[in-house]
């Protein structure tokens, strides 16, 4: 029995991997279950049935206030940011063909962080309020991530971009971005230092509906672009010679995919900060479930990333209540040992 099911329309045809579809459906259900559990968990416990009723507009006024005003914005922000970081990492691992690639490791997150902290510093007024709309913040982070991505790309160029050289240069620029971000915090307003440090670690505390409404269309549009580019990502993983043989314009496709990666990572970092290692772990977990074809890997990575960040946020706000720990602490606690494991596994490659 074939593992693929053909789907043909008037304009296009697909081969659907039955196993991948099953796992994507399972991950979708797990994401919805974790969302309901997260919404109902806190100092005021709300039964999952009451959570669902409230989300459907049939809950009482107290549950409505707690869920829709306080908890749901941060959980949705964690969900959408986790999706963005995970897919950004999947893109980088595809174009670089290196399992250690992720937006935080090669510096894209660092560029976005520097731009966002600079934005907060430059446009903070005397009353510590922003003098421009917060809607411009993901644009600033995207510009920072994109500029860093271009720097990595340019410095890595030597008769084409060598994946190993790109990773090494990215790691060096990531360290430089961290130093510049710390310097910007020191020269910025005093109140910004504590806020920025928590934000750089990665946290969705204090999320609001304006942030969700700003980030969601940005991320969903680029996720759609990436999914439409999935076939070119598959070709990139074959290596430059084979990719050219299939008619791919390798460097052009690599540059476009790098822009997609920086757009996703920059948008996420603008609002949740530098939640580390999600872009490293999620694609690896998804690849074990659905295989390496990017048509299935992209949605699977997005769902795994959402689960990781939502789970980290749930632990962060409940494990040490009433103290809240940044969610990035828990993703780093998982990601750092996993990174060491990947280094050890690929030591002979």
């Amino acid at each position: 029995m074939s593992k693929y099911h053909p789907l043909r329309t008037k304009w296009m045809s697909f081969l659907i991997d039955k196993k991948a579809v099953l796992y994507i459906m399972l991950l979708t259900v797990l994401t919805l279950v974790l969302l309901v559990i997260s919404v109902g968990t806190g100092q005021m416990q709300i039964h999952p049935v009451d959570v669902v009723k409230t989300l459907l507009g049939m809950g009482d006024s107290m549950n409505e206030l707690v869920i829709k005003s306080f908890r749901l914005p941060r959980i949705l922000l964690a969900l959408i940011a986790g999706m963005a970081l995970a897919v950004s990492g999947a893109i980088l691992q595809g174009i670089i063909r290196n399992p250690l690639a992720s937006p935080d490791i090669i510096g894209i997150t660092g560029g976005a962080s520097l731009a966002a902290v600079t934005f907060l510093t430059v446009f903070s007024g005397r009353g510590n309020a922003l003098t421009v709309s917060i809607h411009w913040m993901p644009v600033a982070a995207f510009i920072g991530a994109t500029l860093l991505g271009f720097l990595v790309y340019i410095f890595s160029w030597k008769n084409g971009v060598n994946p190993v050289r790109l990773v090494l240069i990215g790691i060096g620029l990531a360290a430089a971005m961290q130093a510049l971000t710390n310097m910007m915090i020191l020269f910025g307003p005093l109140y910004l230092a504590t806020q920025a440090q928590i934000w750089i670690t990665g946290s969705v505390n204090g999320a609001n509906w304006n942030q969700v409404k700003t980030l969601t269309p940005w991320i969903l549009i680029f996720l759609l672009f990436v999914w439409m580019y999935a076939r070119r990502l598959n070709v990139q993983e074959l290596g430059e010679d084979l990719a050219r043989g299939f008619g791919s314009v390798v460097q052009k496709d690599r540059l476009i995919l790098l822009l997609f990666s920086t757009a996703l990572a920059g948008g996420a970092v603008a609002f949740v900060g530098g939640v580390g290692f999600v872009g490293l772990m999620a694609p690896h977990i998804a690849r074990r479930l659905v295989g390496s074809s990017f048509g299935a890997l992209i949605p699977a990575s997005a769902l795994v990333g959402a689960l990781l960040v939502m789970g980290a946020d749930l632990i962060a706000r409940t494990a040490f209540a009433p103290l809240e720990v940044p969610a990035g602490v828990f993703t780093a606690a998982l990601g750092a040992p996993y990174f060491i494991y990947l280094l050890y596994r690929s030591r002979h490659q």
Side-chain angles (χ1 to χ4, degrees), residues 23-314:
Y23 273 115
I24 289 170
M25 291 172 63
L26 178 61
L27 288 169
T28 302
V29 172
L30 287 174
T31 302
L32 292 174
V33 169
L34 182 58
L35 186 147
V36 170
I37 292 171
S38 297
V39 168
T41 305
Q43 291 185 343
M44 176 182 167
Q45 294 288 336
I46 303 173
H47 194 276
V49 174
D50 293 327
V51 171
V52 174
K53 285 182 178 179
T54 303
L55 293 176
L56 295 175
M58 298 183 292
D60 61 47
S61 58
M62 178 57 72
N63 288 347
E64 191 98 10
L65 176 66
V66 171
I67 290 174
K68 293 190 176 180
S69 297
F70 301 117
R71 292 183 185 170
L72 194 56
R74 70 179 292 165
I75 292 165
L76 289 178
L77 195 66
L79 183 149
I80 199 74
M83 294 173 71
L85 291 169
V87 174
S88 178
I91 294 169
L92 291 174
Q93 289 173 15
I95 62 177
I96 296 174
R97 292 181 291 118
N98 190 316
L100 302 178
S102 73
D104 46 339
I105 290 171
I106 73 163
I108 289 174
T109 298
S113 295
L114 175 61
V117 171
T118 303
F119 177 88
L120 291 172
T121 303
V122 171
F123 295 109
S124 290
R126 292 183 179 179
N128 296 337
L130 287 176
T131 57
V132 297
S133 172
I134 190 66
H135 291 80
W136 290 104
M137 193 167 170
V139 177
F142 167 63
I143 291 170
T146 303
L147 288 175
L148 198 284
F150 273 123
L151 283 176
V152 173
Y153 196 83
I154 290 167
F155 291 154
S156 305
W157 184 276
K158 186 179 180 182
N159 300 321
V161 174
N162 180 278
V164 175
R165 189 164 57 243
L166 191 147
V167 170
L168 293 175
I169 289 173
I171 290 172
L173 287 175
M177 293 303 104
Q178 181 64 52
L180 289 172
T181 302
N182 290 334
M183 186 177 72
M184 186 61 65
I185 292 171
L186 289 174
F187 284 107
L190 185 60
Y191 83 96
L192 180 64
T194 303
Q195 287 184 343
Q197 199 57 51
I198 294 173
W199 176 81
I200 289 170
T201 306
S203 174
V204 291
N205 187 21
N208 57 58
W209 282 111
N210 283 335
Q211 294 175 334
V212 174
K213 291 174 183 177
T214 301
L215 183 62
T216 300
W218 177 276
I219 297 303
L220 292 182
I221 287 169
F222 280 103
L223 287 178
L224 179 61
F225 285 160
V226 173
W227 189 74
M228 291 170 63
Y229 239 73
R231 291 187 179 183
R232 301 195 185 193
L233 257 173
N234 288 330
V235 172
Q236 287 278 327
E237 283 213 311
L238 298 174
E240 291 194 23
D241 293 336
L242 280 175
R244 288 195 187 96
F246 279 105
S248 172
V249 185
V250 177
Q251 299 303 333
K252 177 186 173 184
D253 287 346
R254 191 170 286 170
L255 181 60
I256 291 171
L257 289 164
L258 186 62
L259 283 173
F260 288 162
S261 178
T262 59
L264 290 168
V269 169
F271 289 113
V272 304
V275 180
F277 294 104
V278 175
L280 176 72
M281 293 187 291
H284 282 281
I285 296 169
R287 198 173 282 111
R288 288 179 176 273
L289 296 176
V290 302
S292 58
S293 175
F294 279 91
L297 184 62
I298 289 165
S301 296
L303 291 167
V304 173
L307 285 167
L308 286 173
V309 180
M310 283 199 299
D313 178 58
L314 177 61

